Amino acid sequence: MNDKNTSASRKALSFMGYNAVPIMFIIIIIVCRPFAGFSPTFLLNEIVTRMSRNAFLILSLLIPIMAGMGLNFGMTLGAMAAEIALIFTSDWQIWGIPGIVLAMIMSIPISAVLGIVCGKILNAAKGREMITSYIISFFMNGVYQLIVLYMMGTVIPIIHNNIKLPRGYGVRSSVDLTRIRKSLDNVLSLNVAGVKIPLLTILIIIAMCLVIVWFRRTKLGQDMRAVGQDMEVARAAGIDVERTRLISIVISTVLAGIGMVIYLQNMGDMATYSSHSQIGMFCIAALLVGGASVDRASIGNVFLGVILFHTMFILAPKAGAVITGNAVIGEYFRVFVSYGVITIALVMYETRKRRAKAGMGLELERAQREEASR
């Protein structure tokens, strides 16, 4: 009986250890919910809206994790490609569903080129992919600013003055996307008990989930999983490791570009110089909140992360205003938590990794001692 109790307690502790971040967020939500005072209908509406807005972007992170490349901060490059595509479609006055589809199509070659550049650099920085992709996103942000601030309107033709800065070149700090706002979300939308469900957007996200499930079973998907588990073993098995890793980053960047178009059509406005700056950080934080780690992530982690992370985002400002009398505290709190979650998750991952290595070392020593005693 004692052995059963001990085993059950160990399993419970192990479960809590692996799911510490989701459990922490559930506790935060439970504490904040009474103070915020939002109705269940309002909360459900906000959660459904944010899920349809963010889920596709977060799904783009799964492929590089499967290939052993960790959390792809370089997804920001795909977001920049989407913004450039939307600037062009806005300048050409192509609105509604045609404008969204055209922006997605235009973002693909730009994202693919940026993904190839990023993937080649990451192949030269094996073992340091996350910090390298983070720095690449900073560097490419500078290139993006150069193109949008100086080249558009001079080298790259921009027709309409309402997009250009008053000086005659460069793009304004905000691009109005009102005429494509929720064009995708409003197609086949349903209203269930006061909750608006953007059915077409959700169907696109479900289709993406099915594609990921199918992709994992393909030869390329199996190769990526093999590379993610052990690069040297995969290379010995005849897999082109560098090419496989490069493809994973290209796919992730292209999907991030499409996801950013979905995100911005929901928002209906684009901050030209800052819309992409935090998108990678918040998507990665949401994935980690869902219980993912640097080397393990599932579709379930994506949806759980969106629900928990964005529920906290909805509740924290109002709860902070009620508790402290200052709404700014809530804003600081949710930004602090988003960065804190990434830090905690990475520390926990590294701790588990070192413990596993130490355990393997002990097992090896024990085996060697047994062999010597024989």
Side-chain angles (χ1 to χ4, degrees):
M1 189 69 179
N2 287 333
D3 290 341
K4 286 183 179 180
N5 290 336
T6 303
S7 177
S9 62
R10 282 178 180 172
K11 285 180 180 178
L13 287 171
S14 177
F15 175 81
M16 291 178 69
Y18 274 95
N19 297 280
V21 176
I23 291 168
M24 180 180 70
F25 264 74
I26 290 168
I27 293 168
I28 291 170
I29 289 166
I30 291 169
V31 171
C32 290
R33 170 72 180 86
F35 291 103
F38 293 130
S39 67
T41 304
F42 175 82
L43 270 177
L44 280 172
N45 261 312
E46 286 294 310
I47 291 167
V48 169
T49 299
R50 289 165 185 258
M51 183 176 290
S52 65
R53 182 191 301 164
N54 292 278
F56 200 103
L57 274 167
I58 303 171
L59 286 168
S60 72
L61 293 166
L62 297 184
I63 303 296
I65 292 174
M66 184 170 67
M69 301 187 74
L71 302 164
N72 181 25
F73 287 91
M75 68 176 292
T76 309
L77 277 60
M80 293 177 198
E83 289 172 1
I84 289 171
L86 283 167
I87 289 170
F88 284 124
T89 57
S90 299
D91 187 44
W92 299 337
Q93 302 286 289
I94 303 172
W95 306 115
I97 295 294
I100 292 170
V101 173
L102 180 60
M104 288 179 178
I105 293 169
M106 289 180 64
S107 74
I108 290 171
I110 304 171
S111 298
V113 170
L114 293 175
I116 290 168
V117 173
C118 183
K120 285 184 177 295
I121 295 171
L122 295 183
N123 273 337
K126 292 184 180 72
R128 300 179 297 278
E129 289 91 351
M130 285 190 292
I131 186 63
T132 306
S133 63
Y134 191 56
I135 298 303
I136 290 170
S137 68
F138 273 114
F139 169 73
M140 289 308 301
N141 183 48
V143 176
Y144 168 84
Q145 305 256 3
L146 175 67
I147 292 169
V148 175
L149 194 57
Y150 292 103
M151 294 179 69
M152 286 193 168
T154 53
V155 179
I156 302 168
I158 296 292
I159 303 166
H160 291 89
N161 290 326
N162 62 341
I163 292 177
K164 289 188 287 188
L165 289 166
R167 67 188 181 187
Y169 62 92
V171 178
R172 291 180 184 269
S173 59
S174 178
V175 175
D176 185 16
L177 301 178
T178 306
R179 293 172 69 180
I180 66 167
R181 185 173 184 267
K182 295 193 175 181
S183 294
L184 195 64
D185 298 338
N186 289 334
V187 177
L188 302 177
S189 65
L190 300 175
N191 195 304
V192 180
V195 178
K196 186 178 179 182
I197 301 172
L199 190 58
L200 180 59
T201 310
I202 290 173
L203 288 173
I204 291 170
I205 292 166
I206 291 171
M208 189 66 243
C209 294
L210 294 174
V211 168
I212 290 172
V213 172
W214 165 80
F215 180 77
R216 285 173 174 165
R217 298 175 182 175
T218 62
K219 173 66 167 61
L220 181 57
Q222 294 291 337
D223 287 352
M224 285 185 185
R225 291 172 70 178
V227 170
Q229 288 170 4
D230 194 310
M231 280 190 287
E232 296 309 316
V233 172
R235 188 175 279 110
I239 297 170
D240 189 336
V241 172
E242 281 69 27
R243 178 178 174 274
T244 304
R245 285 161 54 92
L246 177 65
I247 291 171
S248 75
I249 290 296
V250 172
I251 293 172
S252 177
T253 310
V254 168
L255 292 179
I258 295 170
M260 191 64 176
V261 175
I262 294 172
Y263 177 92
L264 289 172
Q265 67 84 33
N266 179 273
M267 298 294 289
D269 185 69
M270 187 181 86
T272 308
Y273 301 98
S274 61
S275 281
H276 58 272
S277 60
Q278 295 296 323
I279 203 73
M281 192 68 67
F282 288 153
C283 287
I284 287 168
L287 185 61
L288 294 173
V289 167
S293 68
V294 173
D295 61 351
R296 178 182 57 84
S298 68
I299 292 168
N301 296 139
V302 172
F303 291 102
L304 179 61
V306 171
I307 292 168
L308 293 179
F309 188 70
H310 286 281
T311 301
M312 186 275 293
F313 256 48
I314 297 161
L315 296 175
K318 185 67 182 292
V322 172
I323 295 168
T324 65
N326 187 348
V328 177
I329 298 296
E331 290 289 335
Y332 284 137
F333 174 73
R334 67 183 186 178
V335 173
F336 162 77
V337 167
S338 65
Y339 286 97
V341 162
I342 295 174
T343 304
I344 292 169
L346 293 179
V347 169
M348 288 172 61
Y349 166 75
E350 191 61 32
T351 302
R352 285 198 296 266
K353 190 176 176 181
R354 290 185 180 184
R355 284 178 181 171
K357 281 185 178 178
M360 289 173 64
L362 290 172
E363 288 292 331
L364 183 61
E365 286 179 13
R366 190 179 295 113
Q368 287 174 345
R369 284 198 300 268
E370 289 176 358
E371 186 67 26
S373 64
R374 290 173 188 173

